[in-house]
Each structure stands twice: as structure tokens, then as C-alpha cells.
């Protein structure tokens, strides 16, 4: 009956979303609601070391954790076993690096699945560019007008290959991707520390070494996490005594390029030969298109 099928779906969702997930989420929500209002909304120290603002730092933690949690919940509720392409799409919201690592490892045992795996990985990379756009759009509309072009260029390059791989794949293969709850307190605190450090390094680098120093800092930050540098540029870009908007946009683009380089390196290092061949074209095109647009057109 209809009631029975609905009941079965609800039980299935409860099985996928564990009690540990619920506890971690509730604990994070309670701590945020209690702590955030009482955190001081001010910076400390003389310029350029006045980057740390406790209130804004934790607010950014809540914001990024919320985006990641959306992908995490969708994977849990819909199920990553619904299809490789869907897993790549939803997994990109939570962690495109986890998607890249998971499918690269699996490709060693499934040599004939190169294109479906390449579809999932390329989708996750493409979603990362869209995620950056959402973050900037929420925090800094002026920066969005500068950064959208290289981000959309990277997205369109990735989407073109996704369409090709989707039309070429012929499989009903299923796959799981291991993701951790982004609302776990330890994970959130680590991101808060990373964000604060990246913000400080970016501000100091730009202050003492101008644009070149900022670009180097963006590349280094992007090697581990593109969200932290994106949020930093959204805060500093166009602000009084901050960073020029076009410079901030290029810094974000460089971080996205560096992050894609790392994920491409993972796939090209541990992936099967067939996966490497399938991923090399989108990997190179996305890097080149994003870089050219960022440094020629803006």
C-alpha cells in the first residue's frame, strides 16, 4: 500500500542518517546558538594583523558547514548507491576530494568503468566551482561581478565533458562514497582555525608583498581547501583598506586551480590507466580555461 511504501522510505532514511549524525548536528546547532551571539564582533591587533574576528570566524564555520551538510544529507537520504553520476554530483557539495579519492581507488578494480568514474569525478570538480560562486554571492555581491566569469568558464568546461561522458556511459553500476558529518564539532573547529589562518596570511601577504604575495598565499591555501580562501577574499575584497576586487577574484580563481590540481594529481596518481586517460582532457581544459579567463579577461 501507499502507507506501507512511505513507512519503508522513512525507515530507510533513519537507517542512513545514524544517531551519531543526529547527535553531532544537534550539538553543533546548540553550541552555535549559544556561543555565536556572545562572541566579540571585533578584530585584534594593528594592521595587517587585525584579521581575526571571533564572531565572523564562527559565522563562516556555520555557513560552510551548512553547505557541506546539504550534500552530506542528500547522499544519506537519496543514497549514494543510486548511481555513480548522482554520487559525484551530490558528493561535490560535501567533498569533491572524497569523491575523487573514492572513485580513483575503485578504478583499479573496475578498468572498464573509466568513463562513469570520470563522469562522477568531473561532476564533483564542476560542483566545486559552483560552490565557490554561491559562497561569494552570499557574502560579497561586488566580488561576484568579478569572479563569476572564470568560475563559470571552469564550470562550463567541466559540464561539456560531463555531457560527453554521460552520453557515452552504459552502466547501472552503484557505488558508495565515505563522507564524514561536517557538523561534527572537531571538523568545524579545524575549519575555523584554517579559515582564521588563511585570512591572516592573505592579509599579511598582500600588505607586505602586494598582489604577488596574495597570489602565492592563495595557491598554497587552495592546495588544502578552497572554501577558506574564498571566504577570506569575500571579506577582504573591496573593503576599505582591503584588496582590489579584480585581485581578490584572481586569488579565488588561483585557489580553485590549485585545488583542482591537487584532486587531479590524486586521480592521475592512484587511478587506473583507463581513468587517467579519461580524466586528463577535462582536467587540463578546466585548468587552462579558468586561468586564462581570470588573468586575461578580468
Amino acid at each position: 500500500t501507499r502507507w506501507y511504501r512511505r513507512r519503508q522510505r522513512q525507515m530507510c532514511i533513519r537507517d542512513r542518517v545514524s544517531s551519531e549524525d543526529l547527535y553531532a548536528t544537534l550539538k553543533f546547532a546548540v553550541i552555535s546558538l549559544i556561543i555565536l551571539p556572545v562572541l566579540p564582533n571585533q578584530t585584534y591587533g594593528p594592521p595587517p594583523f587585525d584579521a581575526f574576528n571571533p564572531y565572523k570566524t564562527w559565522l563562516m564555520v556555520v555557513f560552510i558547514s551548512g553547505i557541506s551538510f546539504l550534500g552530506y544529507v542528500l547522499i544519506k537520504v537519496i543514497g549514494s548507491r543510486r548511481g555513480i553520476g548522482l554520487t559525484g554530483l551530490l558528493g561535490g557539495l560535501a567533498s569533491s576530494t572524497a569523491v575523487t579519492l573514492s572513485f580513483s581507488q575503485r578504478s583499479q578494480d573496475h578498468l572498464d568503468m573509466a568513463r562513469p568514474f570520470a563522469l562522477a569525478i568531473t561532476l564533483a570538480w564542476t560542483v566545486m566551482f559552483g560552490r565557490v560562486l554561491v559562497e561569494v554571492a552570499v557574502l560579497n555581491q561586488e566580488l561576484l561581478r568579478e569572479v563569476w566569469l572564470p568560475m563559470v568558464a571552469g564550470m562550463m568546461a567541466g559540464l561539456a565533458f560531463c555531457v560527453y561522458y554521460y552520453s557515452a556511459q552504459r552502466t547501472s553500476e552503484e557505488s558508495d562514497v565515505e563522507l564524514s558529518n561536517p557538523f561534527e564539532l572537531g571538523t568545524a573547529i579545524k575549519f575555523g582555525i584554517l579559515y582564521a589562518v588563511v585570512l591572516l596570511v592573505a592579509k599579511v601577504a598582500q600588505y607586505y608583498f602586494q598582489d604577488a604575495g596574495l597570489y602565492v598565499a592563495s595557491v598554497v591555501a587552495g592546495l588544502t581547501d578552497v572554501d577558506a580562501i574564498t571566504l577570506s577574499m569575500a571579506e577582504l575584497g573591496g573593503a576599505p583598506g582591503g584588496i582590489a576586487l579584480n585581485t581578490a577574484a584572481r586569488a579565488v580563481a588561483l585557489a580553485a586551480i590549485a585545488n583542482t590540481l591537487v584532486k587531479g594529481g590524486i586521480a592521475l596518481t592512484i587511478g587506473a590507466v583507463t581513468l587517467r586517460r579519461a580524466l586528463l582532457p577535462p582536467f587540463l581544459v578546466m585548468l587552462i580555461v579558468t586561468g586564462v579567463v581570470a588573468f586575461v579577461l578580468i
Side-chain angles (χ1 to χ4, degrees):
T1 64
R2 184 177 300 175
W3 177 88
Y4 178 78
R5 289 196 298 269
R6 184 166 59 249
R7 181 67 175 172
Q8 288 295 103
R9 286 197 299 270
Q10 292 172 347
M11 292 177 64
C12 186
I13 290 172
R14 283 200 297 269
D15 290 339
R16 289 172 180 160
V17 181
S18 66
S19 57
E20 289 81 6
D21 289 331
L22 293 175
Y23 177 71
T25 302
L26 289 173
K27 182 169 66 174
F28 183 89
V30 170
I31 291 175
S32 295
L33 289 173
I34 293 174
I35 293 180
L36 188 60
V38 299
L39 286 175
N41 188 6
Q42 65 181 65
T43 57
Y44 300 90
F49 302 99
D50 57 342
F52 179 61
N53 181 312
Y55 178 86
K56 288 185 177 180
T57 297
W58 193 252
L59 188 61
M60 292 303 100
V61 170
V62 174
F63 177 49
I64 290 300
S65 297
I67 294 177
S68 299
F69 191 65
L70 174 62
Y72 179 79
V73 168
L74 289 174
I75 285 284
K76 288 285 187 177
V77 173
I78 298 176
S80 63
R81 301 187 65 83
R82 291 294 181 90
I84 291 175
L86 182 60
T87 300
L89 179 64
L90 300 180
L93 282 174
S95 173
S96 55
T97 302
V99 172
T100 302
L101 181 61
S102 176
F103 286 116
S104 296
Q105 291 173 332
R106 284 179 58 85
S107 69
Q108 295 285 356
D109 300 320
H110 301 272
L111 299 180
D112 58 334
M113 296 290 293
R115 285 187 175 177
F117 289 160
L119 168 64
I121 293 172
T122 306
L123 267 173
W125 294 354
T126 303
V127 170
M128 183 270 290
F129 284 89
R131 177 175 169 143
V132 168
L133 278 177
V134 170
E135 293 168 8
V136 175
V138 171
L139 300 173
N140 191 327
Q141 291 289 323
E142 291 184 349
L143 179 59
L144 179 64
R145 287 192 284 270
E146 296 286 340
V147 81
W148 76 269
L149 194 56
M151 293 300 102
V152 169
M155 284 180 60
M156 295 306 294
L159 282 175
F161 282 97
C162 290
V163 170
Y164 169 70
Y165 290 139
Y166 180 79
S167 61
Q169 74 165 344
R170 296 290 185 270
T171 179
S172 58
E173 180 81 9
E174 299 173 343
S175 183
D176 288 315
V177 174
E178 292 295 326
L179 298 170
S180 61
N181 189 331
F183 275 164
E184 290 177 355
L185 194 57
T187 302
I189 291 175
K190 289 177 183 177
F191 177 79
I193 294 172
L194 176 63
Y195 168 69
V197 170
V198 168
L199 183 61
L200 176 62
V201 170
K203 195 167 184 179
V204 170
Q206 202 276 335
Y207 185 87
Y208 286 109
F209 305 104
Q210 287 73 50
D211 293 354
L214 177 63
Y215 294 153
V216 171
S218 298
V219 170
V220 173
L223 294 176
T224 57
D225 187 279
V226 73
D227 292 323
I229 189 65
T230 299
L231 297 181
S232 300
M233 292 302 99
E235 180 172 341
L236 298 175
I243 298 170
L245 288 172
N246 63 337
T247 300
R250 288 170 179 165
V252 171
L254 280 173
I257 290 172
N259 196 258
T260 304
L261 274 171
V262 170
K263 291 177 290 192
I266 291 172
L268 296 177
T269 300
I270 68 175
V273 174
T274 51
L275 179 66
R276 297 177 199 171
R277 291 173 180 168
L279 271 181
L280 189 58
F283 172 65
L284 293 177
V285 171
M286 291 175 76
L287 290 178
I288 293 171
V289 167
T290 304
V292 169
V293 173
F295 284 89
V296 174
L297 299 183
I298 65 173

